[in-house]
Amino acid sequence: MLHAMSALVSDHHIRDSLFELSRTQSAAEELKCRAILRLVDVSQAFGDELRRQLGASGLTEAGFLVLAHLIHGEPAGESPTEIGRTLPLSRQTFRDVLGRLEVSRLISREHVAGNCEHSIISATDDGRQAFQAATESALKLINLMAADLDDRESSLLDLTCIRLNQQLSKLKTT
């Protein structure tokens, strides 16, 4: 959904319409409109670069998400069904990701004693290493993006994002 919205507000016809309408309201409205749309652009560009970095580490976004859950999730030793319920992936995507991770030897399945239909999945040592490498790559990307921000700008950006999230939460409840 976020990708669809990002693409929607990235369309130059839609952006032009938004800017034109905001300009008729006030200079402050136009400034806010431009700021939010720039934030969307940066977020989308960051997401694209992060996906590229994950790919260089041998992972997809979904694979990274599954490994994160297996490595840091609670409780350990969950079945694929239990894990699948907690992740924002469709059943089919989740099954496909598990298959790819297993073929790549990043996860392993252990059948529950006496029950061939139920299994427990866990990250292998290779899976932990791939996850660690991808996490280090993601942090490096974040640090590169923020390299020219001083502490005041970083704090202001953080506060701004908090306030924007609060506004979105209010919109969801109305």
Side-chain angles (χ1 to χ4, degrees):
M1 177 67 176
L2 179 59
H3 298 295
M5 265 326 263
S6 295
L8 181 66
V9 294
S10 294
D11 179 85
H12 73 90
H13 297 296
I14 293 172
R15 288 174 90 83
D16 290 347
S17 295
L18 289 167
F19 291 146
E20 186 177 317
L21 181 59
S22 67
R23 195 174 303 118
T24 64
Q25 305 294 316
S26 69
E29 289 267 336
E30 182 182 6
L31 179 63
K32 289 177 183 179
C33 182
R34 286 189 188 282
I36 294 294
L37 292 178
R38 281 192 177 120
L39 179 60
V40 169
D41 290 345
V42 168
S43 295
Q44 185 175 0
F46 174 76
D48 292 345
E49 184 58 24
L50 181 59
R51 281 183 286 284
R52 193 184 74 69
Q53 295 280 334
L54 290 174
S57 297
L59 295 173
T60 63
E61 204 173 348
F64 187 62
L65 181 65
V66 169
L67 284 173
H69 182 87
L70 292 174
I71 293 167
H72 296 293
E74 293 295 331
E78 290 180 289
S79 71
T81 303
E82 293 166 326
I83 294 169
R85 286 186 197 131
T86 65
L87 298 177
L89 301 171
S90 71
R91 282 184 187 177
Q92 186 60 50
T93 299
F94 181 65
R95 279 192 290 255
D96 292 347
V97 169
L98 286 183
R100 286 193 304 271
L101 291 172
E102 190 171 22
V103 166
S104 300
R105 294 191 162 94
L106 300 179
I107 65 166
S108 64
R109 290 180 198 251
E110 183 180 318
H111 291 285
V112 175
N115 191 340
C116 293
E117 292 181 22
H118 295 290
S119 62
I120 303 296
I121 58 174
S122 58
T124 63
D125 287 341
D126 287 346
R128 290 178 185 283
Q129 289 174 2
F131 178 79
Q132 182 64 31
T135 302
E136 289 170 4
S137 181
L139 182 58
K140 184 177 179 181
L141 174 61
I142 289 168
N143 287 330
L144 286 170
M145 283 187 64
D148 291 337
L149 297 178
D150 61 30
D151 289 348
R152 184 188 62 76
E153 291 169 320
S154 294
S155 294
L156 185 58
L157 178 59
D158 188 41
L159 177 62
T160 300
C161 289
I162 289 168
R163 292 187 63 195
L164 290 172
N165 274 324
Q166 289 170 342
Q167 284 301 111
L168 283 173
S169 292
K170 286 180 190 176
L171 291 173
K172 291 177 186 176
T173 61
T174 56

